[in-house]
Amino acid sequence: MAAAATTTSVLLLCVAAFLAVAAHAADIKDHGKPAPYKTGDLVTNSCANFRAYDWSPHLTRKLCESTLRSHKQSTAAKSKRDLALIAMDLLQSAAAKADGVLRNHSDSGHRSKSTALALQYCRLDYAAVARTIPMCRAMVQEYKPPNSSSDNNGDYYDCIARLGNAAANCWGYVLVDDELAKVVSKEVAEVFQRATLVRAMTEVMLGFNDDSH
């Protein structure tokens, strides 16, 4: 049991370290200087104020903006709630895409025993994402600021945490499986990033701002 716990801890540290390096590279322009950010519209302002987590530094303002703007509804968004819903749509599509790649690889028959097990776990994780998104979406859809005394922010956090945990679990399996990483690392990493975006935009919707990044 202790060995399993140690392995899990090391795995999570590897995930965080890998994504920290990727994030730093993605958010730097020429000459190693941080990219400048304009202020003004809803997407830009929301991405400038999301909470920065030590375990998910890969979600930069630049990536936040570009991902949200990739959705055609982002230009019509009128509230932070709209952006949280858009983030959920983006997560849902990314998870479906990654699951499709995993399914195709599973059907190919060319895989080791450990990879076959990782495939099964990942598909279970993405099934959990597919089941949970409608629940989270319904909660966010009904949100009306400011919070009334009957609202419980913990309910929102519990829901988005389920999405994040499922996305992180699969990414962890892929990160330590060379065979699987060659096939689906890009897609699975994108799911993990978008799950973090869902959390970030939901927190911004709830009124948590962070100007430390």
Side-chain angles (χ1 to χ4, degrees), residues 21-133:
V21 172
H24 183 70
D27 205 33
I28 297 296
K29 282 192 173 181
D30 295 339
H31 310 299
K33 296 180 180 179
Y37 296 97
K38 298 178 180 179
T39 58
D41 71 358
L42 180 63
V43 170
T44 300
N45 290 341
S46 296
C47 288
N49 291 305
F50 69 84
R51 187 202 302 250
Y53 287 99
D54 290 339
W55 46 264
S56 58
H58 63 292
L59 183 61
T60 62
R61 289 186 293 184
K62 181 179 179 180
L63 181 58
C64 175
E65 287 189 40
S66 63
T67 303
L68 288 173
R69 294 189 196 282
S70 71
H71 195 291
K72 61 182 181 180
Q73 293 299 322
S74 64
T75 56
K78 293 181 172 57
S79 67
K80 295 171 183 176
R81 182 190 66 178
D82 291 343
L83 294 184
L85 293 171
I86 286 172
M88 290 182 186
D89 288 345
L90 290 166
L91 171 59
Q92 188 169 30
S93 62
K97 178 181 178 181
D99 187 61
V101 176
L102 291 167
R103 181 179 63 252
N104 290 338
H105 189 62
S106 179
D107 293 340
S108 69
H110 302 295
R111 58 190 182 280
S112 66
K113 185 175 181 179
S114 62
T115 296
L117 188 59
L119 277 166
Q120 293 179 45
Y121 285 149
C122 273
R123 298 208 63 200
L124 287 172
D125 288 330
Y126 288 156
V129 170
R131 290 194 306 270
T132 306
I133 283 180

Side-chain angles (χ1 to χ4, degrees), residues 11-23 55-58 98 102 118 121-123 125-126 129 163-178 180-196:
L11 176 60
L12 292 176
L13 287 173
C14 289
V15 171
F18 179 90
L19 291 174
V21 172
W55 46 264
S56 58
H58 63 292
L102 291 167
Y121 285 149
C122 273
R123 298 208 63 200
D125 288 330
Y126 288 156
V129 170
L163 296 173
N165 289 339
N169 285 342
C170 182
W171 177 227
Y173 290 122
V174 171
L175 191 63
V176 296
D177 189 306
D178 291 340
L180 204 52
K182 293 177 182 178
V183 177
V184 74
S185 60
K186 179 181 178 181
E187 290 82 0
V188 172
E190 185 175 66
V191 174
F192 187 32
Q193 290 172 336
R194 292 188 178 186
T196 305

Side-chain angles (χ1 to χ4, degrees), residues 193-212:
Q193 290 172 336
R194 292 188 178 186
T196 305
L197 180 63
V198 167
R199 184 182 186 98
M201 291 301 100
T202 302
E203 288 185 335
V204 169
M205 178 194 77
L206 294 173
F208 185 96
N209 293 327
D210 187 354
D211 58 5
S212 64

